[in-house]
Amino acid sequence: MARDFVSITGCAVAASSTILTLAGCVAARDLRPGDRVITRDHGAQTLRDIEFFAAPQGSTAIAIPAGAIGNNTRTIVAPSQRILLRNVQAELYFGESEVLVNAEDLVGFRSIETTEAPSFGFVRLEFDTPEIIYADGLEIESSALTSFEWAGDPLMSRLGLTVSGMPLPPRPVLEAHEAQLLVGSETFQAAA
C-alpha cells in the first residue's frame, strides 16, 4: 500500500542537518546507532536507530530561515516534524510554557515556507523515548523506537492516551489552529 510521505516521515530532518552530540555538531546522515546525542531534558542519550527516507519526487518539506526560531542556519524538516516553542504566550494561552508545533503549522511565520523536499532525503532519529534534540540549533522532537504516529491528531496525546504503553510526546502538541493563535500574536517572540 502506498503511504503519503508526510505520514511515514513524522519526526524527520534533512540528512544535511547538524545534530548536537557529545562529539559536537554532526550531520544527521553521519550519525550511527550508539552515538550519544544531547537532549534538552535528559542530557546525552544513546541513539538507538536511524532511518533514512528518500522523498518521492514532488514532495514538499518545510524551510525555516536561519534565525527564525532559534536555528543557526536554514533548516529543512518534514511537514509533520514537531518543533519546540518556548514563550510566555504559550503559558498564557495553553497553561504550558513549552509546546510542540508541527512545522507545517508555522508556514507564513517569520518567512517559514514550503519547499521541494531535498533530493538527499531525510533522517529519523530514534531513542528509547521521544526526546527534544537540537538540529541546526532548532529544538525538535525525536522519535522513539516504540513511537506511534498519531497521523497529525495531537488530541490523543493531549488527553494522555497511549496505545499499548507507547510513549507520549515530551511536551503538549498544539493543533493547527492553536499554533496559528500562538504565532499570530503580535507580541510572540520565540525563545532562542
Side-chain angles (χ1 to χ4, degrees):
M1 177 171 106
R3 293 179 63 187
D4 178 31
F5 173 66
V6 172
S7 67
I8 64 169
T9 57
C11 299
V13 298
S16 61
S17 294
T18 58
I19 306 298
L20 185 59
T21 73
L22 279 180
C25 290
V26 176
R29 67 176 162 261
D30 296 330
L31 291 171
R32 298 292 176 259
D35 287 346
R36 304 276 288 165
V37 175
I38 304 298
T39 70
R40 179 168 170 75
D41 299 324
H42 303 113
Q45 292 295 306
T46 301
L47 180 63
R48 297 298 180 194
D49 197 13
I50 184 168
E51 294 182 69
F52 294 86
F53 295 94
Q57 186 172 0
S59 295
T60 60
I62 305 300
I64 303 169
I69 48 178
N71 48 319
N72 51 30
T73 188
R74 183 174 188 258
T75 304
I76 306 293
V77 297
S80 55
Q81 172 61 60
R82 293 177 182 154
I83 298 170
L84 182 71
L85 296 181
R86 299 180 284 130
N87 195 277
V88 68
Q89 284 94 339
E91 187 159 10
L92 290 172
Y93 290 143
F94 308 110
E96 298 284 344
S97 62
E98 299 180 339
V99 293
L100 290 167
V101 175
N102 286 339
E104 64 192 345
D105 296 336
L106 296 174
V107 170
F109 175 67
R110 295 192 180 162
S111 300
I112 296 171
E113 62 186 1
T114 58
T115 189
E116 187 175 339
S119 60
F120 47 81
F122 287 89
V123 298
R124 179 188 343 225
L125 305 175
E126 297 184 345
F127 298 86
D128 289 333
T129 61
E131 298 284 354
I132 301 296
I133 62 172
Y134 301 90
D136 297 330
L138 186 65
E139 294 174 309
I140 65 168
E141 180 188 24
S142 74
S143 293
L145 284 175
T146 58
S147 70
F148 178 84
E149 297 297 334
W150 290 107
D153 182 6
L155 180 61
M156 300 300 276
S157 62
R158 292 193 61 201
L159 293 174
L161 301 176
T162 63
V163 174
S164 302
M166 304 277 182
L168 292 172
R171 303 290 189 287
V173 179
L174 298 187
E175 295 183 38
H177 71 277
E178 294 171 319
Q180 292 301 310
L181 174 68
L182 181 61
V183 299
S185 166
E186 289 183 23
T187 59
F188 181 80
Q189 295 291 320

